[in-house]
Amino acid sequence: MASQHSRTSESTQQLKEDLQHLTKTIEELVEATADDSRSNIKELRERAEKRMKDTRERLEARGERLYGEARDNVTQQADACDRYVHDNPWTSIGIGAAVGVVVGMLIGRR
């Protein structure tokens, strides 16, 4: 599971970097052609600006949606854990004690 999270994080970071490079390139193109009055350059410039704006809005919306889904998932898992502890208090105490013993043994080895 940690490996999958790492791969997702790496691909997300790579996508973010690629989009930043693309945005920078488009912005440079827009700036470089701002003084050019030829109609085809002007039209291309306007399309590039619109596409960049649309893409940025979609990515921001997707990021917000993914954040919301992750937050909801963590909340549901925390609620499930809370219910389990309330439904099984002695089992929870036993699990906590066992984890404490294992952590204590690991720390004691140092």
Side-chain angles (χ1 to χ4, degrees), residues 18-19 32 34-35 40 47 49 52 66 71 93 104-105 110:
D18 290 345
L19 288 171
D35 295 332
N40 62 340
R47 281 192 358 219
E49 286 176 331
M52 184 175 61
L66 290 173
R71 185 187 63 231
I93 290 170
M105 288 174 38
R110 290 185 175 195

Side-chain angles (χ1 to χ4, degrees), residues 19 34 81 91:
L19 288 171
C81 182
T91 304

Side-chain angles (χ1 to χ4, degrees), residues 44-55:
L44 286 172
R45 187 172 154 264
E46 289 170 356
R47 281 192 358 219
E49 286 176 331
K50 182 178 179 347
R51 187 167 293 158
M52 184 175 61
K53 181 182 174 192
D54 292 345
T55 302

Side-chain angles (χ1 to χ4, degrees), residues 82-93:
D82 186 55
R83 278 193 307 276
Y84 179 82
V85 169
H86 281 88
D87 293 344
N88 304 295
W90 289 109
T91 304
S92 301
I93 290 170

